[in-house]
Amino acid sequence: AQSVTQPDIHITVSEGASLELRCNYSYGATPYLFWYVQSPGQGLQLLLKYFSGDTLVQGIKGFEAEFKRSQSSFNLRKPSVHWSDAAEYFCAVASNAGGTSYGKLTFGQGTILTVHP
Amino acid sequence: DVKVTQSSRYLVKRTGEKVFLECVQDMDHENMFWYRQDPGLGLRLIYFSYDVKMKEKGDIPEGYSVSREKKERFSLILESASTNQTSMYLCASSLSYTEAFFGQGTRLTVV
């Protein structure tokens, strides 16, 4: 069964500092991978996705993520954090194995990001 | 833009009531999902539907059922609401080879 682990429940950074949020997945083949962000009281917004090809993917709001097959990881990074980036971030994996589970989406526990001025 | 609409933002129901949460998407997506979100537990999949009248149990289906009679609509049913079903419920839809789009969520309180 597919699964996602986000080891950090809560991360605090200063505005302008760099950021890396960790994500490890378990899946039998190369998965579809996503990062979503959720602001308080809101639904989830897609930041970026990886399906195949270049392992470094660029997303919205200056975020990027790198797929590392050998480490089963898909960590999210941003070189300089803004106060508006404070939110909860979710990593997710989708099945691409075909059959009735094709596209089934599983999420990690989430990482809450606090940004200090 | 893709739109996923959940019928209510906030609901308060009594223990033992039958509760319906409705979700509608306007992009002809074959997949639809119901998740439950609780602090520290992330989003847990309740049910997943990959076509009309087709469904699969997710990780926490106990106490819930679903209905998908039309492609655009996916309903979550709490047969007999209990206080431990107080939570945020999120609906999503997707094509199988792309990302999921989410509704704004329904915060359900069972008293």
Side-chain angles (χ1 to χ4, degrees):
Chain A
Q2 61 200 61
S3 66
V4 178
T5 301
Q6 294 179 243
D8 304 305
I9 296 172
H10 196 166
I11 284 183
T12 300
V13 299
S14 298
E15 193 169 15
S18 63
L19 172 70
E20 183 169 28
L21 302 182
R22 295 183 292 164
C23 172
N24 294 98
Y25 68 89
S26 174
Y27 187 68
T30 301
Y32 296 158
L33 294 162
F34 308 87
W35 275 99
Y36 286 84
V37 60
Q38 185 182 36
S39 298
Q42 302 297 315
L44 274 72
Q45 180 185 20
L46 180 73
L47 283 175
L48 48 78
K49 60 189 176 186
Y50 172 79
F51 287 170
S52 65
D54 193 346
T55 56
L56 184 64
V57 294
Q58 303 296 321
I60 62 171
K61 305 185 181 187
F63 285 93
E64 66 178 28
E66 187 171 11
F67 169 62
K68 292 186 177 180
R69 185 193 307 274
S70 62
Q71 298 176 21
S72 296
S73 70
F74 188 58
N75 294 348
L76 181 71
R77 301 195 293 248
K78 187 170 185 178
S80 178
V81 171
H82 188 263
W83 65 265
S84 61
D85 293 324
E88 189 162 15
Y89 292 79
F90 293 94
C91 182
V93 60
S95 168
N96 60 11
T100 57
S101 291
Y102 189 45
K104 181 178 174 182
L105 196 59
T106 301
F107 284 82
Q109 300 91 327
T111 298
I112 298 170
L113 175 66
T114 299
V115 180
H116 282 170
Chain B
D1 277 356
V2 174
K3 195 158 188 182
V4 179
T5 304
Q6 295 183 229
S7 53
S8 305
R9 288 297 301 272
Y10 301 94
L11 275 179
V12 180
K13 297 292 182 180
R14 295 195 182 278
T15 301
E17 274 194 77
K18 191 169 186 176
V19 180
F20 293 85
L21 302 183
E22 307 285 347
C23 176
V24 177
Q25 52 97 359
D26 65 358
M27 283 301 292
D28 202 36
H29 286 171
E30 62 261 24
N31 294 335
M32 295 190 75
F33 309 81
W34 275 107
Y35 292 91
R36 171 176 172 159
Q37 183 178 18
D38 299 289
L41 296 178
L43 279 72
R44 293 179 291 168
L45 182 63
I46 305 172
Y47 268 98
F48 163 55
S49 170
Y50 51 91
D51 201 350
V52 175
K53 297 187 188 292
M54 307 305 286
K55 61 188 179 186
E56 277 198 4
K57 291 181 179 179
D59 300 317
I60 52 163
E62 296 78 20
Y64 304 94
S65 62
V66 291
S67 172
R68 193 166 180 200
E69 297 295 319
K70 293 185 178 181
K71 192 173 186 179
E72 67 270 19
R73 186 179 297 270
F74 191 35
S75 302
L76 180 69
I77 303 156
L78 286 66
E79 296 291 343
S80 178
S82 64
T83 54
N84 63 14
Q85 293 178 309
T86 291
S87 187
M88 171 70 85
Y89 290 87
L90 290 166
C91 175
S93 72
S94 76
L95 294 169
S96 291
Y97 50 87
T98 66
E99 69 271 24
F101 294 85
F102 282 81
Q104 288 294 93
T106 297
R107 186 165 294 282
L108 172 67
T109 302
V110 182
V111 298

